[in-house]
Amino acid sequence: MQETMANIDRYGVLCCGLSCVDMMLMAAERPKTLEAITSFDGTKQEAGGSCSNTSRVLGSLQIRVLASTLLGDDPHGKELLRQLNESGVNTDHVVIDPEVNTSLAVLPVFKGGGRGCYVDLGANSVATPEMLLGDNLDLFERVPFCKVFHFGYPHLMRNLQGENLEKMFSAARRGSLLVSLDINGADKPEPSVITEALRHCFFVHANLEEAAFVSG
């Protein structure tokens, strides 16, 4: 058993894809009209998006985890890095680009349940496979202890869909990583976003509505 646990401790997860700061407006009233002044009770900022959210949770569980995502050199990017590092996530492969802004989602959390979502996708709109995984997609070779590649929200990342998504997943499989895909953000039938990449996936996460959209 000790030898088995020692082997597990050496393995890791590479999380990649969409990251943002979730700024939650707590105990928000529902606006009576689109232009009504509406109150809320304080704010809370958390790491959001598939890459930062998943890697932070895994890190807090003391699982060896790396994050690869694109952030701006701005206060929101610094806050994401702080939360990831605080949770034990390896951020050596997080890309900081002063020419882009870190994505921000503003989430009014309504009294009585439910929430809204306003998002500036920012850096996620320009991220490419080469930015996140290296010019030759060789990051997998540089982190051989990673056995799982988790990627999230391709429907919200225009340069990481279709052929580019398949290219990344194919590279991960050549490196013998299991591929996990989170399709949050699938809100209309767009089979070209993930169809070719699905053959490389071992795990796919979707709610019922998202699953219906991608399955036709």
Side-chain angles (χ1 to χ4, degrees):
M1 175 64 72
Q2 288 182 343
E3 178 62 27
T4 301
M5 292 307 296
N7 288 337
I8 291 174
D9 288 342
R10 290 199 293 267
Y11 297 154
V13 178
L14 174 58
C15 291
C16 185
L18 189 143
S19 288
C20 65
V21 169
D22 282 349
M23 179 181 289
M24 292 176 281
L25 312 182
M26 307 306 296
E29 298 284 353
R30 293 181 182 271
K32 294 181 175 60
T33 69
L34 290 178
E35 297 183 0
I37 296 174
T38 308
S39 66
F40 61 92
D41 187 14
T43 63
K44 185 177 182 181
Q45 294 191 46
E46 296 286 353
S50 181
C51 176
S52 48
N53 196 353
T54 304
S55 61
R56 187 182 178 203
V57 171
L58 292 175
S60 68
L61 295 173
Q62 299 185 330
I63 294 171
R64 191 175 186 182
V65 58
L66 286 74
S68 177
T69 192
L70 179 64
L71 306 178
D73 185 14
D74 53 31
H76 292 135
K78 291 178 173 63
E79 174 61 18
L80 270 181
L81 281 176
R82 184 192 69 78
Q83 292 194 22
L84 294 176
N85 288 321
E86 194 176 70
S87 298
V89 178
N90 183 320
T91 58
D92 291 347
H93 302 287
V94 172
V95 179
I96 307 297
D97 184 347
E99 299 300 317
V100 302
N101 63 286
T102 303
S103 178
L104 173 67
V106 179
L107 310 172
V109 181
F110 298 119
K111 288 182 179 179
R115 66 161 175 81
C117 181
Y118 299 87
V119 63
D120 173 7
L121 290 171
N124 299 301
S125 297
V126 299
T128 66
E130 291 74 19
M131 285 181 178
L132 301 182
L133 301 175
D135 290 342
N136 298 311
L137 307 189
D138 61 353
L139 179 56
F140 302 113
E141 300 172 13
R142 290 182 274 127
V143 291
F145 54 87
C146 284
K147 302 301 180 184
V148 176
F149 177 56
H150 175 72
F151 184 87
Y153 304 6
H155 291 80
L156 300 176
M157 305 185 76
R158 63 190 180 205
N159 296 325
L160 298 172
Q161 303 177 354
E163 181 180 340
N164 279 345
L165 188 66
E166 193 280 332
K167 181 169 65 174
M168 287 193 300
F169 287 7
S170 178
R173 291 299 301 132
R174 287 197 300 274
S176 299
L177 282 78
L178 302 182
V179 175
S180 167
L181 174 63
D182 186 339
I183 57 172
N184 186 309
D187 59 1
K188 54 182 174 294
E190 292 180 299
S192 63
V193 173
I194 64 170
T195 299
E196 291 302 315
L198 280 176
R199 60 193 175 95
H200 300 296
C201 295
F202 283 71
F203 313 100
V204 177
H205 176 269
N207 64 27
L208 183 60
E209 184 178 64
E210 292 158 352
F213 278 128
V214 301
S215 64

